[in-house]
Structure formats: structure tokens, C-alpha cells
Amino acid sequence: MAGVEIHKSQKQDTFEGVDFLDLDDLLTEEHQLIRSSIRDFVKKEISPYIEDWAQKSHFPEEIVKKFGEVGAFGPQIPEEYGGGGLDYISYGLIMQEIERGDSGMRSTASVQGSLVMYPIYKFGSEEQRKKYLPKLASGEMLGCFGLTEPDHGSNPSGMVTNFKDMGDHYLLNGTKMWISNSPKADIAVVWAKNEEGRIHGLIVERGMEGFSTPETHNKWSLRASCTGELVFDNVKVPKENLLPGKSGLGAPLMCLDSARFGIAWGVIGAAMDCYESARKYAAERIQFGKPIAGFQLTQKKLSEMLTEITKAQLLAWKVGKMMNEGKAKTVHISMAKRNNVEMALNIAREARQIHGGMGITGEYPIMRHMMNLESVITYEGTHDIHLLILGNEITGISAFK
């Protein structure tokens, strides 16, 4: 939205963290320094503007370069390709701090790192890595990930987007929907079936004839993030843009594992923001002659919030440790994503109650987080789908067939 006038909030972001069990003992000094630098970035570059961005449904394009400068894009990608060369706990902490600012902002960063840079690094050729990864890491380029289709969300194997071998190029046709970053993306990592029905990844560049990215309007959620479609009408894709390293549905699902891990950490940040806002408001709001923080039901809400945040922190940290050791499986990540998003959404709803009528206004972050989390609980594997992934692991019987 060019020409949108954005007003800076006069409210100071004074967040200092939520750590009831001294979980910082589990983090290295480097982890804490990384978290601190991203927290400072959020306080300066996101918190003063996010309510206005969300109210005006404005995606701040300038944030892309700033994310690149602070190392938020692909922190787990090796340094030789422009990434941070960091471990998965560092990646999780970065997502946590950004999502405390806003889920839409974290979506922008996690799509770039886990769904665009990761597949190019993991499945791409050396030429593709050198061509795209440094520009994506710096924020010079913005990317998106095309898997979901209008009729195929939870069942991506049913996709109809396809490409044909035309000798010197591929011809790509189809439509993808609910794609974060798409309206502003320079490239799209697109998953499509070849003539044998095998799923492959292709890198599609803006400007290729027949490729368009219509924007999705009138969202009540993730309003500071840009969302759209990917439409392919006989798009000629050079053969060197095929990701050669892996084919089949397992390839995009590996990318989603990385992104879901980031979500499991990110939503802790949203929950922390809601909790801290509720705690402070309860101490200031006077009813019946005393702060509402002195009433039993308010204390119950705050106590349960803190307990659930702490449990989510432990779960995310343990899965992060397993990721670093190469031991984490899809089912572990599904448990963390599902549990932690539900936790954050419940906390947002309880925090709204504590804020009373003020909780629905832009004076506080609660309603914005709540609306955002309604998307987060659905995207990258719905709440119920993750339940059934765990159910399959427990019983050995798939509920999808």
C-alpha cells in the first residue's frame, strides 16, 4: 500500500523476558546475545509501528532489508551462502522475539528462511545456492513457498499444479493459494507434478511470462503480512531452475518441519507479549477499591498463563536440542507446533478477558495477537492434522487413508 501514512506509537516497549524457571541456564552466552540483539531490533523497528501497520493492513516492505541486516533470514543456513551458520535453538529464539512483535512479521522471516532458503540449500544445485541464497539472506530478494492449492490444503499430495518437459524448458500450469510474501516476492519455490505425477520443486522468478501473484485482501488476521496467490499460465521455466536434490512429497514436508519448528518457538513470543500486557494491566486497573491483580480469578489466569508458557519453553528447547543433534522427527515437531500454538491462543483469549473492553482496542496487542494466532493454528498443518500425525505414531494406523 504505497503512500500509507504510518504513525509511530508513543508507548515504550519495555519487555525484558519471561523466565520463571531460570531457563536461561539451558542457553549458551551466544544464544542469549542473539536473543538480545533481536529483542532490541523488535523494540526499535517493529513495536512502535505494528499496531498502525495492522490497523491499516500495511506490509512494510522496508522491513525486508532490515531483517536481512539483523540476520533474521536463514540464520541456520551456512555462512558461505549468506546465512548465520547458527544452530536451531538460535533460530528458534530469533523467531520467538520477532513473533513477540507480530506473527505476520515472523511469517515473513520464517517463510524466507525455512521455506525458500532451506529447500534451495538442501535440494538445490551449487549454482542455485550461489545465485539465490546470499540475496535472500541479505533481504535483497524476497521469496515465497508454493504448496497449498485452492482445493488441496491438508492433502498436498492431491495437487494439480503440473509441469511438462518441452525439450529446452518446462511448461508450468496451476494455482497456489494462501501464500505468505507472494505479492512482493522476487522468487517462488513451487511444488508441482511432472508428467509421471512425481512432485518436484521449481524456482519461478518474477517477470516470467504467465506468472502472476494476486494479493489476498480483507484479511482479519496477519494484517501486517502480505498474502496472495501464485498463478501459472503456461509459464516457461528454465530447466536449470528445477531443484535436483530431492523429489516426492517428502521434500516440501521437510521444509515444513523446519518452519513448524520455528512456529513452535515463535508463538511463545506472542504468548509472552499477551501475558506481560495482562500482568501490567491487572496491576494498574482498579475495581472495587483495589487492583484487579488482587482478585483470585485474575491471579488464577496469570498463574496458568505463566505455567503454560514455561512448559512450552521447555518443549521448544528440547525439540531444538534434538534438531541440533539430528534426532528430531516430524512427530516431535508436530507435538511442539500443535501444543504451543494452542497455548498461545488460549493465553491471548484469557489476556483479553483481563483487559476487559480495552482488550479489543489497538491500545494493547491482545486482539491483534489473537487474530494472528487464528491463522497460525491453521497454517503449516492444522491443529487437527498434527493431532492425527501423533495418532498415527501412537497407534501405527493412519487416519488419512
Side-chain angles (χ1 to χ4, degrees), residues 145 147-160 176-179 193 199 249 252-253 256 260 330 334 337 375-389 398-401:
F145 175 88
L147 181 63
T148 298
E149 296 186 358
D151 296 319
H152 298 91
S154 296
N155 177 27
S157 63
M159 70 171 67
V160 295
K176 302 292 183 178
M177 197 173 187
W178 303 118
I179 310 300
K193 288 179 177 176
I199 294 171
L249 189 59
L253 294 183
L256 287 169
R260 290 163 177 166
T330 295
S334 283
K337 192 267 186 185
S375 289
V376 181
I377 204 167
T378 292
Y379 71 28
E380 296 187 31
T382 70
H383 195 61
D384 290 345
I385 288 293
H386 285 298
L387 193 75
L388 298 179
I389 289 171
S398 173
F400 304 123
K401 297 173 183 175

Side-chain angles (χ1 to χ4, degrees), residues 191-218:
W191 302 93
K193 288 179 177 176
N194 65 10
E195 288 155 285
E196 290 75 47
R198 185 76 176 169
I199 294 171
H200 288 264
L202 303 107
I203 300 170
V204 183
E205 300 181 22
R206 186 170 294 282
M208 288 182 175
E209 191 176 348
F211 174 40
S212 59
T213 58
E215 187 166 0
T216 303
H217 296 287
N218 299 322

Side-chain angles (χ1 to χ4, degrees), residues 9 11 70 97 156 190 213 235 245 263 353:
S9 171
K11 272 192 171 184
V70 81
E97 293 303 313
V190 179
T213 58
V235 179
I263 291 171
Q353 294 269 20

